[in-house]
Amino acid sequence: MYGQPEFDKRHASFFMLVTLVLLLALTYIYALIGYKEPVEPYMENIRLFGTIEYFLLIFLSLTDINIKSLLKITVLTLFSVIVLIKITYNYVDVDIFGLSKDAYTYLRFGMKYCDRSYPDFVNAIYNQSFHVDDLGYFSLFYIFYNIYPDNNFIVYSIVLLNLVFLYVSSFYFYKLSRQLCGSDNASKLIVILWCASPYLMLVICNGMKEVFFTSIIIVAVYNIYKYKATKNLFNLAGAFVFATFCLFFRTAVFYMLIATFIVILTMTQRNKKLYFIIIISVLATFQIITPFIIEDVMGLSLEIIVKATAWRIERSAAGQASYAGYLPVLAAVLGPFPIFDRAAIYSIEFSQAVFVKDVLGLSFYLGVYDKINRLDINFLPLIIYIVLNLFMMIFAGVTLDIRYHMTYLPFFFLIAIPYLKKKTLWDWGFIAMILVIIYFYGTRRLSIVS
């Protein structure tokens, strides 16, 4: 469908096996060399849980299992591993949300203001200098505390709600993948690479917002594509409602989604060349129009953002001036890069998902080249959405933070996986380059990453 290449399941299985072997090899090498800062044994155990869970589900997706059974097994597996991690936290005397600072903030506000009215709760958040795009997850904790004010109830309610959202959004993501790439086998792998990610497993376990937030994005994008195919106004309304929810999680994504929706709805086979020229022109002048968008449209201070960006880049370079210029751009284009030799908050625990994303980079860019070369109007809007995300991350200096990659990562896999074909020297050459970059990234003088 839509001129997609035929998906080679055998090669995909081999490629994932090579990825697993390389991941385990890097993990072992860094363990032998020694870590740059103390890494608690329980963090290594969680990384092991995540590796086993992730690759078992990846290889399961490459069998003939149907999508509903696959997603049910995935959710049950994630829940089992999350319970195991919670038991581990309790055994090593770590608080119930691990090292997630944001989750404790949500928890504290929900507990403190649960007996107040919702307007009072919102005012309290604003008085504490939180922004509108923090309100979504604060509100969930507030609601659960009003149902039953007990920490364990809140924690496991959030876990279960996230798992429900993960299942629903994964199913819609599968339907979107089938619509765009046409292959059941490819679509199952695409979905599992996203939803079974050890990062999302930890997000759910540690009370963060990325599963909930990314699910909203996926359902919004599914609805806008469904509307274009069926002209059902219910889907159009659903797309814009779910996009609006992004205002309560990360405001910039709302504007990027709206821009993407406009492209999806207005780009046709007749106007695609002119449209493409206009889009390229807009992207080329992005630096010029960015101040207007940030200050006049979004109502934010550009000066504050620039200062924060400079601080983040300086911090990520860790005193090495040579890194400051290209590290953020390199991390946006090829990364973020996995962490094997230091805790870095809890990055070591989800290095698997980042590594898989990195080694799929060649397939992604081959897919992008093909879609642009053919001006494929079904995929160009997704490419534009990804590019807007990359510009935002580079501009904000957050390219090393996987949280900001999660908002486009499902669509990255959607473009990359159909182009996971036998390229021999190109494949091995790209992987070798990625391994060298990861090595130099991991050996720079750095104790904590941004």
Side-chain angles (χ1 to χ4, degrees), residues 65-112:
I65 188 171
N66 66 68
I67 186 62
K68 289 186 178 180
S69 297
L70 177 62
L71 292 180
K72 288 175 184 176
I73 292 172
T74 298
V75 169
L76 288 173
T77 302
L78 288 173
F79 180 74
S80 300
V81 177
I82 287 167
V83 171
L84 190 58
I85 294 172
K86 295 293 189 187
I87 293 171
T88 302
Y89 284 161
N90 183 63
Y91 180 76
V92 297
D93 198 27
V94 173
D95 286 337
I96 198 162
F97 280 140
L99 301 177
S100 173
K101 295 180 181 178
D102 288 348
Y104 295 113
T105 303
Y106 302 140
L107 195 64
R108 186 177 69 251
F109 266 80
M111 180 172 58
K112 185 175 181 181

Side-chain angles (χ1 to χ4, degrees), residues 207-431:
M208 296 183 288
K209 67 185 180 183
E210 275 68 31
V211 168
F212 205 85
F213 181 33
T214 312
S215 294
I216 289 170
I217 295 169
I218 288 172
V219 175
V221 172
Y222 165 79
N223 272 287
I224 200 69
Y225 272 100
K226 187 70 174 177
Y227 169 74
K228 187 167 186 180
T230 65
K231 296 298 184 288
N232 186 326
L233 291 177
F234 177 80
N235 292 119
L236 181 64
F240 282 94
V241 167
F242 276 94
T244 303
F245 287 154
C246 292
L247 289 171
F248 302 102
F249 291 89
R250 195 171 298 146
T251 305
V253 173
F254 165 78
Y255 292 103
M256 289 187 283
L257 278 178
I258 295 301
T260 304
F261 289 177
I262 292 171
V263 175
I264 291 172
L265 294 175
T266 57
M267 182 180 283
T268 65
Q269 293 293 346
R270 281 187 170 186
N271 68 11
K272 65 181 183 180
K273 289 185 179 179
L274 176 61
Y275 218 128
F276 186 69
I277 293 172
I278 294 172
I279 291 167
I280 293 298
S281 301
V282 170
L283 292 176
T285 58
F286 188 80
Q287 189 172 0
I288 298 173
I289 65 176
T290 295
F292 167 76
I293 295 172
I294 290 176
E295 294 186 352
D296 294 347
V297 177
M298 298 174 63
L300 301 176
S301 169
L302 180 62
E303 183 181 358
I304 292 175
I305 292 176
V306 169
K307 287 181 179 179
T309 302
W311 175 78
R312 286 166 177 157
I313 293 175
E314 181 181 355
R315 185 179 169 190
S316 67
Q320 293 192 15
S322 61
Y323 281 101
Y326 63 81
L327 183 59
V329 176
L330 199 61
V333 174
L334 298 175
F337 307 117
I339 294 170
F340 291 98
D341 63 347
R342 55 188 174 272
I345 307 177
Y346 41 77
S347 300
I348 197 171
E349 297 168 325
F350 51 74
S351 56
Q352 315 94 321
V354 179
F355 185 68
V356 170
K357 188 261 182 183
D358 288 352
V359 298
L360 283 169
L362 178 61
S363 296
F364 170 74
Y365 285 107
L366 287 172
V368 169
Y369 171 79
D370 180 65
K371 301 308 178 189
I372 292 177
N373 187 50
R374 293 191 293 108
L375 291 181
D376 189 331
I377 65 172
N378 296 291
F379 282 87
L380 281 177
L382 292 181
I383 294 172
I384 292 166
Y385 173 72
I386 292 172
V387 170
L388 288 173
N389 272 269
L390 295 180
F391 271 120
M392 178 200 72
M393 288 189 295
I394 293 171
F395 188 78
V398 292
T399 56
L400 291 168
D401 192 332
I402 189 176
R403 292 178 300 170
Y404 294 89
H405 292 263
M406 287 308 300
T407 54
Y408 75 83
L409 197 55
F411 312 118
F412 173 96
F413 292 133
L414 178 56
I415 293 171
I417 291 304
Y419 290 86
L420 188 60
K421 301 174 69 177
K422 294 179 181 177
K423 296 173 285 292
T424 318
L425 288 176
W426 280 103
D427 262 342
W428 294 114
F430 185 84
I431 289 175

Side-chain angles (χ1 to χ4, degrees), residues 8-65:
D8 187 342
K9 188 163 69 171
R10 290 182 62 184
H11 178 65
S13 299
F14 174 74
F15 188 86
M16 287 301 136
L17 182 60
V18 170
T19 301
L20 172 60
V21 170
L22 290 174
L23 173 67
L24 294 175
L26 280 171
T27 303
Y28 182 68
I29 288 169
Y30 276 107
L32 285 179
I33 294 173
Y35 297 142
K36 289 186 177 181
E37 65 185 36
V39 175
E40 297 293 339
Y42 79 87
M43 299 181 82
E44 292 276 38
N45 292 336
I46 291 174
R47 177 159 64 176
L48 178 62
F49 300 157
T51 302
I52 294 171
E53 169 265 327
Y54 198 28
F55 282 92
L56 278 178
L57 291 170
I58 285 174
F59 290 117
L60 180 62
S61 74
L62 292 166
T63 67
D64 294 329
I65 188 171

